[in-house]
Amino acid sequence: MNEILEKIAEAVNSCLGPLKDLKVTGSDIRDLLIQLCATILLFVVVRVFLWKPITHILETRRQAIDQALEDAKNSKENAKVLEEELADELAKAKASVQEILAKAERDGNVKREQIISEAKEEAKQRLENLEIELEQEKNNMQKEIRKEIVDIAFAAAEKIVAKEIDQDKYMDVVDEILKGA
């Protein structure tokens, strides 16, 4: 036993440096054995009475932490899935808006072209109606002018016939007719 204690003392000396006056006595061995028995007894008491409750508490806490980590992982995955779904829906909504805007622009262009076409057609129709009216007015004026010319010619012929046909008188009558007209 002394030999073991001396080896322990050598190990302590090599680790901590030389200890002065280290003498191993019987009371030291007895104190060491009591300390060793107390430590073993403490380990046995802890192992028998406290080990299961402590390990149970630690295991329960570990399971709660594992469950929380698993829930966080699942929540993160669900959040990623939701984010992807929302991104897809947003992209679809943007595409839908672009499509609606493009359709509205096409419809607007068609409507604009239709309005312009209708306005041109109406202007063309009004112009044709105006030309027809002007042609009718022109024809009416020509008829009136012809009628007046015929009336004037008839009046001139009456006056010429009523008077003698003389060159000087004929010229006077024509001048008179022209002045009267």
Side-chain angles (χ1 to χ4, degrees):
M1 182 79 110
N2 278 339
E3 197 176 290
I4 294 173
L5 290 174
E6 285 178 15
K7 287 192 178 192
I8 291 173
E10 282 180 27
V12 169
N13 281 337
S14 68
C15 291
L16 300 175
L19 297 175
K20 292 185 179 180
D21 300 327
L22 183 63
K23 294 182 183 176
V24 178
T25 62
S27 65
D28 291 335
I29 292 175
R30 186 181 57 127
D31 289 342
L32 183 63
L33 288 175
I34 291 171
Q35 188 68 31
L36 186 61
C37 288
T39 304
I40 291 172
L41 182 65
L42 180 65
F43 280 123
V44 168
V45 168
V46 167
R47 177 76 172 140
V48 170
F49 295 110
L50 299 175
W51 189 257
K52 286 185 181 179
I54 289 173
T55 56
H56 178 68
I57 290 170
L58 291 175
E59 184 64 26
T60 305
R61 181 72 180 140
R62 186 189 62 78
Q63 288 174 353
I65 289 171
D66 288 346
Q67 184 64 38
L69 288 173
E70 186 68 27
D71 290 345
K73 182 180 174 184
N74 291 338
S75 294
K76 185 177 179 181
E77 289 173 1
N78 289 341
K80 281 185 178 181
V81 169
L82 284 175
E83 182 182 6
E84 290 173 2
E85 288 175 2
L86 289 175
D88 289 343
E89 287 181 24
L90 180 63
K92 288 178 184 176
K94 284 182 179 180
S96 176
V97 166
Q98 290 297 329
E99 185 178 316
I100 289 170
L101 288 175
K103 184 178 184 278
E105 186 176 352
R106 285 191 307 266
D107 291 348
N109 287 339
V110 168
K111 188 72 172 173
R112 184 187 72 213
E113 292 298 324
Q114 183 181 11
I115 290 171
I116 290 172
S117 175
E118 288 174 1
K120 285 180 179 179
E121 187 64 33
E122 185 178 339
K124 182 180 176 183
Q125 188 66 32
R126 285 185 179 182
L127 188 58
E128 288 175 3
N129 288 342
L130 184 59
E131 286 177 2
I132 291 171
E133 285 180 26
L134 286 175
E135 189 64 33
Q136 289 175 351
E137 188 71 27
K138 180 180 168 187
N139 289 340
N140 288 342
M141 292 296 274
Q142 284 178 350
K143 286 179 185 177
E144 284 184 29
I145 290 173
R146 283 183 189 151
K147 185 180 175 190
E148 284 185 22
I149 290 174
V150 169
D151 288 345
I152 291 172
F154 186 69
E158 276 183 349
K159 287 184 182 181
I160 291 174
V161 170
K163 293 188 179 183
E164 288 181 349
I165 301 186
D166 174 2
Q167 184 68 21
D168 290 330
K169 287 185 179 182
Y170 176 76
M171 289 308 282
D172 289 337
V173 170
V174 169
D175 285 336
E176 185 180 320
I177 291 172
L178 289 176
K179 286 181 185 176

